[in-house]
Amino acid sequence: MAKKLWEKNIDVNPEIERFTVGRDRELDLLLARYDILGSIAHSTMLESIGMLTTEEMTELHDELRNIYSTVEEGTFIIEEGVEDVHSQVELILTRKLGDTGKKIHSGRSRNDQVLVDLKLFTRNELKGVCEGVKSLFDALIEQSDWHRDVLMPGYTHLQVAMPSSFGLWFGAYAESLADDMLFLQAAYKMCNRNPLGSAAGYGSSFPLNRTMTTELLGFDSMNYNVVYAQMGRGKCEKNVAYALASVAGTLAKLAFDACMFNSQNFGFVKLPAECTTGSSIMPHKKNPDVFELLRAKCNRLQALPNDILLIMNNLPVGYFRDLQIIKELFLPAFESINDCLQMATYIIRRIEVNKEIFDDSRYDAMFSVEEVNRLAAEGMPFRDAYKKVGLDIEAGTFTPNKAIRHTHEGSIGNLCNKEITALMENIYNNIEFGKAEEAERALLKR
Ligand code: ARG
């Protein structure tokens, strides 16, 4: 049996095959379960328009669900000589069911198959990322609440500036994640539209029922215009990558702070020994490698939208094989971001903060603005108060009053963590994951 879907009577050149298949046989394994779900929906629809008999559809469904089980067990492979997951699934169906297997490709193309696979894959992965972001958010808010009264220096230009607090520091990253969640929500919505039925990118002369496959697969709607549906290849990945990059930006910055504040020269936070690594030569070392790797991985993730953009940017309308390469960058990104989110959450829950930072007189000048404000509140014009405190500092006669009082919204004494949590939950709880899961479960039920 020919292993290429398009093989006619000319042998395939092995070098050309190697180059064109690329890493598909390995990467497409990540799409296998979604390819099967798409095929169950497609064959159900084919039966409804009389392109398959009910018996043929049932046979196909049984076999597709068997293949799904092999994916779950981890025994599904894409054989040598088979190009991609779409070919492998059709090959298995045809080996098992003969002509019935050969009928499933009516009214579709691998172009819309891979499109639908990617949408289903991404939809599912985004759910995991959102959960990971929410867990880290919860850990940050918890730390912020616990340490609401522990002061730390705030910097501008990396010069000691004004009093800040651990409540503010942890809470800032929580609020940053709430904004990142907005991107994830938009990415989820954009990706939750059905491209199936666009076939090679121009539809089909069969009377396909795209509304039906949209409902069966639990999509919010379809990508209506078949040409646009195909244009979504690359665009969807790029926009999702922007959302992942937004999360990665928050994580990379947090990681940098943590590395810096953990250094002996700052000594603001301490990682528990189990969260550090040692040196082969310096016996005293407890290095923050986890945060360093997190920073590097997240910096790389921030390049992802650009990497994708550079591949697809100058393509005109219609499918091109260029798009295949995007999978190499895009599919592994989820494992990477999830890993980073998980490690960040683990460490943030365990990080210890220094409650005695301000016992050190090097931070005294940081209370200058507090003193200026105190004098101004007593009636001295701000500019005069500013000058007086400045001269006191120069003369070495300034004594800081460390009992500070910041009361406005979002400041040391009024973190607004409840409001920040409401902001996050309002976004997170409005991403509707349930519909997709229910639809997928229904397709798999025998
Ligand atoms: N492996 C291909 C991809 O990822 C599948 C689609 C192949 N379509 C084609 N016209 N060659 O794009």
Side-chain angles (χ1 to χ4, degrees):
M1 197 180 296
K3 287 191 168 183
K4 301 282 171 301
L5 297 177
W6 43 267
E7 202 168 324
K8 288 166 280 283
N9 45 19
I10 305 166
D11 286 343
V12 180
N13 174 324
E15 268 307 287
I16 301 297
E17 164 165 14
R18 180 191 63 74
F19 192 75
T20 53
V21 170
R23 291 180 57 201
D24 263 16
R25 290 178 51 232
E26 157 206 349
L27 287 167
D28 273 14
L29 291 179
L30 293 168
L31 300 178
R33 60 179 73 229
Y34 305 107
D35 202 69
I36 294 160
L37 289 167
S39 288
I40 296 175
H42 181 69
S43 51
T44 307
M45 184 277 293
L46 287 182
E47 189 262 359
S48 77
I49 60 168
M51 301 281 303
L52 290 172
T53 67
T54 308
E55 297 76 64
E56 285 170 333
M57 176 189 75
T58 309
E59 275 187 314
L60 283 166
H61 284 184
D62 282 345
E63 198 41 46
L64 284 164
R65 289 175 191 135
N66 289 342
I67 305 172
Y68 194 92
S69 304
T70 66
V71 175
E72 289 206 305
E73 287 158 11
T75 53
F76 177 86
I77 55 155
I78 300 173
E79 297 164 30
E80 195 98 27
V82 176
E83 280 192 302
D84 50 29
V85 67
H86 328 295
S87 314
Q88 181 68 43
V89 171
E90 188 173 320
L91 183 69
I92 298 173
L93 292 175
T94 307
R95 274 187 194 143
K96 272 274 170 72
L97 308 174
D99 284 351
T100 305
K102 292 187 207 163
K103 287 186 182 177
I104 196 170
H105 209 57
S106 310
R108 76 176 184 189
S109 152
R110 281 185 295 169
N111 294 356
D112 65 335
Q113 258 189 290
V114 64
L115 272 169
V116 80
D117 293 4
L118 281 167
K119 297 257 197 175
L120 296 173
F121 167 87
T122 307
R123 194 170 77 169
N124 194 53
E125 290 295 329
L126 279 175
K127 177 171 180 266
V129 176
C130 290
E131 286 166 357
V133 167
K134 182 62 172 52
S135 297
L136 177 57
F137 175 89
D138 291 343
L140 287 162
I141 286 287
E142 208 171 276
Q143 289 282 28
S144 173
D145 283 341
W146 275 339
H147 301 299
R148 59 171 65 245
D149 297 322
V150 185
L151 296 183
M152 73 189 291
Y155 293 82
T156 66
H157 311 267
L158 213 48
Q159 303 285 308
V160 163
M162 280 180 68
S164 180
S165 71
F166 282 101
L168 276 178
W169 183 65
F170 285 116
Y173 284 100
E175 189 172 345
S176 180
L177 289 178
D179 272 351
D180 300 334
M181 190 64 93
L182 259 184
F183 269 89
L184 290 168
Q185 180 191 37
Y188 188 87
K189 283 190 171 175
M190 182 170 289
C191 137
N192 203 13
R193 304 199 191 284
N194 183 22
L196 196 61
S198 60
Y202 302 94
S204 165
S205 57
F206 296 126
L208 305 178
N209 184 346
R210 296 191 62 210
T211 301
M212 183 177 189
T213 55
T214 300
E215 278 163 14
L216 285 172
L217 290 165
F219 283 112
D220 277 346
S221 79
M222 62 187 88
N223 286 134
Y224 294 98
N225 180 313
V226 290
V227 174
Y228 178 63
Q230 178 55 56
M231 262 187 224
R233 182 92 187 266
K235 175 175 174 174
C236 175
E237 293 96 305
K238 186 182 66 179
N239 285 326
V240 171
Y242 278 120
L244 300 185
S246 190
V247 177
T250 300
L251 287 185
K253 202 177 186 74
L254 172 66
F256 196 157
D257 281 3
C259 289
M260 186 169 72
F261 292 160
N262 180 63
S263 154
Q264 291 85 349
N265 294 68
F266 286 83
F268 298 167
V269 300
K270 202 168 144 229
L271 305 179
E274 53 141 354
C275 296
T276 63
T277 58
S279 151
S280 62
I281 174 171
M282 297 167 278
H284 64 284
K285 289 287 246 161
K286 288 195 173 66
N287 295 325
D289 293 26
V290 173
F291 277 122
E292 292 166 9
L293 291 167
L294 225 143
R295 180 172 57 196
K297 281 168 185 265
C298 287
N299 281 337
R300 196 168 65 178
L301 279 165
Q302 287 177 89
L304 185 65
N306 254 2
D307 289 343
I308 295 176
L309 186 139
L310 287 173
I311 294 171
M312 53 160 299
N313 202 28
N314 295 323
L315 300 180
V317 66
Y319 174 86
F320 294 93
R321 197 69 178 263
D322 307 50
L323 298 165
Q324 174 172 297
I325 300 293
I326 294 174
K327 291 190 293 193
E328 294 179 15
L329 306 167
F330 183 69
L331 301 186
F334 291 94
E335 201 194 321
S336 182
I337 190 89
N338 285 333
D339 209 13
C340 290
L341 282 165
Q342 203 190 322
M343 285 316 296
T345 308
Y346 184 87
I347 298 203
I348 286 297
R349 285 197 184 285
R350 284 161 185 79
I351 202 166
E352 292 157 26
V353 313
N354 179 354
K355 298 189 171 141
E356 275 97 45
I357 300 173
F358 285 168
D359 292 353
D360 188 331
S361 62
R362 86 175 76 195
Y363 301 116
D364 284 0
M366 177 166 355
F367 295 90
S368 67
V369 182
E370 310 302 313
E371 182 60 13
V372 173
N373 288 358
R374 196 184 61 77
L375 293 171
E378 282 174 1
M380 190 185 291
F382 179 86
R383 196 44 65 206
D384 294 344
Y386 171 93
K387 194 163 178 190
K388 175 185 164 7
V389 174
L391 291 171
D392 286 351
I393 292 171
E394 301 271 299
T397 56
F398 172 70
T399 35
N401 176 2
K402 299 183 184 178
I404 62 161
R405 231 175 92 75
H406 289 200
T407 56
H408 69 74
E409 302 92 328
S411 66
I412 294 175
N414 182 5
L415 295 174
C416 292
N417 282 351
K418 277 209 181 69
E419 288 81 352
I420 294 170
T421 304
L423 194 70
M424 171 59 112
E425 283 179 354
N426 194 23
I427 304 164
Y428 182 62
N429 296 335
N430 273 318
I431 314 180
E432 224 217 290
F433 301 113
K435 190 174 152 203
E437 287 171 328
E438 208 174 295
E440 291 180 18
R441 229 176 294 124
L443 286 172
L444 292 168
K445 206 148 130 217
R446 296 199 189 245

